[in-house]
Amino acid sequence: TTIYPASRKQWYQRRVRGDVEEIIKRHDVSRLKRNSEDGYDYTKFNTFENIEKELHIIVEEYSDIARLDVMGTTHEGRNMYALRVTRDIGPEPTKPIVLIDAGIHAREWVSISTIMYIINQVVRNPDDDSLIKAFVDSYDFVFMPVLNPDGYVYTWTTDRLWRKNRAPNNNSRCIGVDLNRNWDYKWGGKGTSGNPCDIDFRGYSAFSEKETIAVRNWVDKQKSKVVLYINFHAYGQLWMTPYGYSTDTPSNEKEMLAYSRIAVNAIRKVRGTSYEYGPVYTTIYPASRKQWYQRRVRGDLEGDRAAPSQAGN
């Protein structure tokens, strides 16, 4: 089909925007049909209230391997949860930590559904799957299922495509900060905006938001034990590694890319789905949250010991 320049924009709006709007309408119908009395359904998207309830049910039913902690609260007063799963669980992590989070961007519902599915598999099948059993015996799994509870609730009640949190910004009518742009390492660089009305607004300063502060404090307390961090987003079939702020490479890039290759090959083998892999900056676009985690947790980025602390995402 040939698309003439004069009509290309209209074609795009009709084909792409129209399809998205139809999907959103279907989600709206689904939201109206679901309420807090339905309980958690692993085949559907779920409200924040039902996610909370499911997390509490899990720790009640599997108290020998699961513990739920509140690591902070949001601007609107909702709890931010960290669910820890391991064999012979105690009050604090004692094994190497595998940290997995999702939902930092409110509209990315499937990232939250994915992490909840993983939680369900790990908690409810540890003795039926030898691989899961080995992991639970050897590691502390820490799941942070919804890093942006206020924004997530807002996507259910008001605006399905909302991305930021719901905190007000001084001297602006626009609400919210892109939490994924609010980390201190390389804060304010490429891929961020200083305009409170933009969807990628970084905040007026690094760690200005209660949500990012809560995660930072948890990571700082446990960073010596963290051996793997995975952060789920949507959309796109991408398996990405640091850096996001530039084309520079971390000291262990070869190792990360080797494991990335193993991961995407495993996904293709099981599901037939093809994922691209590589550094954030060259695979999708500039961003800098991943290197905040790596710098905070590993503490051995190239030049890190000699360089002064720098602000960033």
Side-chain angles (χ1 to χ4, degrees):
T1 301
T2 300
I3 304 170
Y4 292 99
S7 60
R8 184 176 181 180
K9 183 176 181 180
Q10 291 91 322
W11 175 87
Y12 175 86
Q13 289 178 332
R14 183 176 180 183
R15 291 296 299 272
V16 178
R17 183 177 176 183
D19 289 346
V20 171
E21 288 178 351
E22 180 59 31
I23 292 170
I24 292 173
K25 288 178 182 177
R26 291 202 299 269
H27 283 178
D28 287 340
V29 173
S30 175
R31 281 183 288 178
L32 290 173
K33 291 180 178 179
R34 292 189 59 72
N35 58 56
S36 60
E37 296 179 358
D38 294 333
Y40 197 92
D41 187 337
Y42 282 94
T43 68
K44 295 181 173 65
F45 295 120
N46 291 265
T47 65
F48 180 72
E49 185 176 0
N50 280 345
I51 293 169
E52 275 190 306
K53 289 182 178 180
E54 179 68 2
L55 293 174
H56 285 286
I57 289 171
I58 286 171
V59 297
E60 289 174 5
E61 293 182 353
Y62 300 92
S63 58
D64 57 326
I65 62 171
R67 178 187 176 94
L68 187 64
D69 295 316
V70 176
M71 58 179 177
T73 57
T74 66
H75 169 73
E76 294 179 350
R78 294 182 176 88
N79 287 336
M80 296 181 63
Y81 293 103
L83 175 72
R84 187 159 55 89
V85 180
T86 190
R87 187 74 65 188
D88 301 321
I89 197 164
E92 293 291 337
T94 57
K95 304 170 187 174
I97 292 173
V98 175
L99 176 60
I100 305 176
D101 73 40
I104 196 166
H105 286 148
R107 63 193 181 192
E108 297 172 8
W109 289 7
V110 74
S111 69
I112 297 169
S113 297
T114 299
I115 199 172
M116 291 298 293
Y117 176 84
I118 294 172
I119 290 171
N120 184 52
Q121 294 298 306
V122 171
V123 169
R124 294 193 164 102
N125 299 300
D127 296 322
D128 299 329
D129 187 308
S130 59
L131 194 57
I132 292 178
K133 182 179 184 301
F135 276 119
V136 172
D137 288 347
S138 304
Y139 296 93
D140 271 290
F141 280 88
V142 178
F143 300 97
M144 300 177 181
V146 190
L147 290 190
N148 185 4
D150 294 347
Y152 184 66
V153 170
Y154 193 72
T155 63
W156 278 79
T157 62
T158 308
D159 182 354
R160 175 62 184 87
L161 295 182
W162 188 258
R163 171 182 164 109
K164 301 185 286 184
N165 70 355
R166 293 295 301 162
N169 294 305
N170 292 335
N171 303 316
S172 176
R173 60 179 175 78
C174 297
I175 299 294
V177 168
D178 181 348
L179 299 175
N180 209 41
R181 305 291 186 271
N182 194 234
W183 311 87
D184 68 346
Y185 190 69
K186 301 296 182 180
W187 179 83
K190 292 181 179 179
T192 74
S193 171
N195 184 347
C197 297
D198 288 343
I199 63 171
D200 55 356
F201 174 53
R202 58 184 173 255
Y204 291 123
S205 62
F207 292 122
S208 60
E209 305 309 296
K210 296 183 70 174
E211 295 89 346
T212 51
I213 290 172
V215 178
R216 179 198 64 189
N217 291 346
W218 191 97
V219 169
D220 278 351
K221 183 179 179 181
Q222 305 295 345
K223 61 185 177 182
S224 64
K225 302 185 187 76
V226 177
V227 295
L228 176 64
Y229 160 66
I230 300 174
N231 166 245
F232 281 100
H233 280 268
Y235 69 107
Q237 291 165 193
L238 305 170
W239 188 286
M240 297 185 292
T241 57
Y243 293 137
Y245 74 90
S246 79
T247 56
D248 293 343
T249 58
S251 58
N252 64 334
E253 184 189 41
K254 289 184 179 179
E255 180 185 17
M256 287 191 291
L257 292 180
Y259 284 122
S260 297
R261 188 181 306 113
I262 292 171
V264 299
N265 287 340
I267 294 170
R268 185 183 299 111
K269 182 178 180 180
V270 173
R271 297 291 182 185
T273 308
S274 294
Y275 273 68
E276 295 181 37
Y277 69 92
V280 174
Y281 192 98
T282 55
T283 304
I284 184 169
Y285 50 59
S288 57
R289 182 188 175 197
K290 284 186 181 296
Q291 44 281 3
W292 174 83
Y293 269 98
Q294 192 179 32
R295 189 174 194 265
R296 206 81 171 197
V297 173
R298 289 178 58 88
D300 64 350
L301 299 188
E302 294 184 20
D304 184 55
R305 294 190 179 92
S309 177
Q310 299 183 56
N313 220 342

